[in-house]
Amino acid sequence: MSAVIETVGTGFRVRLERRPEHTVEEVWSWLTENDKLSRWFPELRVENLREGGLIMFDMQNGTFEQMEITKLISLSVLEYTWDEDRVRFELYPDHNGCRLVFTEELNRVTEHTPRDIAGWDVCLDVIEALMNGREIVSRKDIWQSKYERYAKVFKEL
């Protein structure tokens, strides 16, 4: 599934959706528990799971970027800052499991934006694969094809 990209005010909203055949509780645990989070996004760590708490991004150079949790509704909404932008995960119960909606509010598009969105798209694929007991062997190959597609889309904006 590709992202839906729309103009919002002076910025953009990117939306990705998945329908994992797993409970809201299980999917929530992959978004908020560090042992599971590290399996799909090893640079992220939840420091304090509450509004005003922090998500830490390991810059891989001994420093960490702090991202503030701006909205938290247990088993439903996790939203936090990402530099000048905002990422949000929403979970909705569904008859076959749940619906996972990821959005990123972008203040501006840069040459790095297609890379980031391709990365989030792959991350959602990885979460679903891990919940299903599978590993994605070459994330880079999947990322590359998604990146090429998003680079074209963002170039046309």
Side-chain angles (χ1 to χ4, degrees), residues 101-118:
V101 177
F102 167 86
T103 55
E104 184 168 6
E105 300 283 338
L106 303 167
N107 285 303
R108 61 191 172 96
V109 171
T110 69
E111 65 181 36
H112 207 268
T113 301
R115 296 175 184 278
D116 293 343
I117 300 308

Side-chain angles (χ1 to χ4, degrees), residues 48-97:
N48 193 347
L49 189 61
R50 63 172 179 76
E51 284 188 21
L54 297 174
I55 307 284
M56 305 297 283
F57 183 88
D58 186 346
M59 299 297 288
Q60 306 293 304
N61 63 5
T63 65
F64 292 85
E65 181 78 27
Q66 294 183 353
M67 301 176 293
E68 182 182 352
I69 298 173
T70 54
K71 182 82 171 175
L72 180 75
I73 302 171
S74 185
L75 304 176
S76 179
V77 176
L78 173 62
E79 178 183 274
Y80 49 92
T81 60
W82 192 282
D83 193 27
E84 359 176 293
D85 301 326
R86 196 171 299 252
V87 297
R88 181 179 177 105
F89 295 89
E90 297 176 39
L91 296 173
Y92 301 93
D94 200 354
H95 63 280
N96 287 332

Side-chain angles (χ1 to χ4, degrees), residues 19-65:
R19 293 188 180 268
E21 293 181 356
H22 298 274
T23 65
V24 163
E25 292 81 5
E26 185 174 356
V27 177
W28 183 257
S29 72
W30 283 91
L31 301 175
T32 60
E33 294 177 12
N34 287 327
D35 61 326
K36 292 179 179 176
L37 181 61
S38 67
R39 293 184 59 201
W40 64 272
F41 205 142
E43 296 82 11
L44 288 186
R45 183 179 81 236
V46 176
E47 191 70 23
N48 193 347
L49 189 61
R50 63 172 179 76
E51 284 188 21
L54 297 174
I55 307 284
M56 305 297 283
F57 183 88
D58 186 346
M59 299 297 288
Q60 306 293 304
N61 63 5
T63 65
F64 292 85
E65 181 78 27

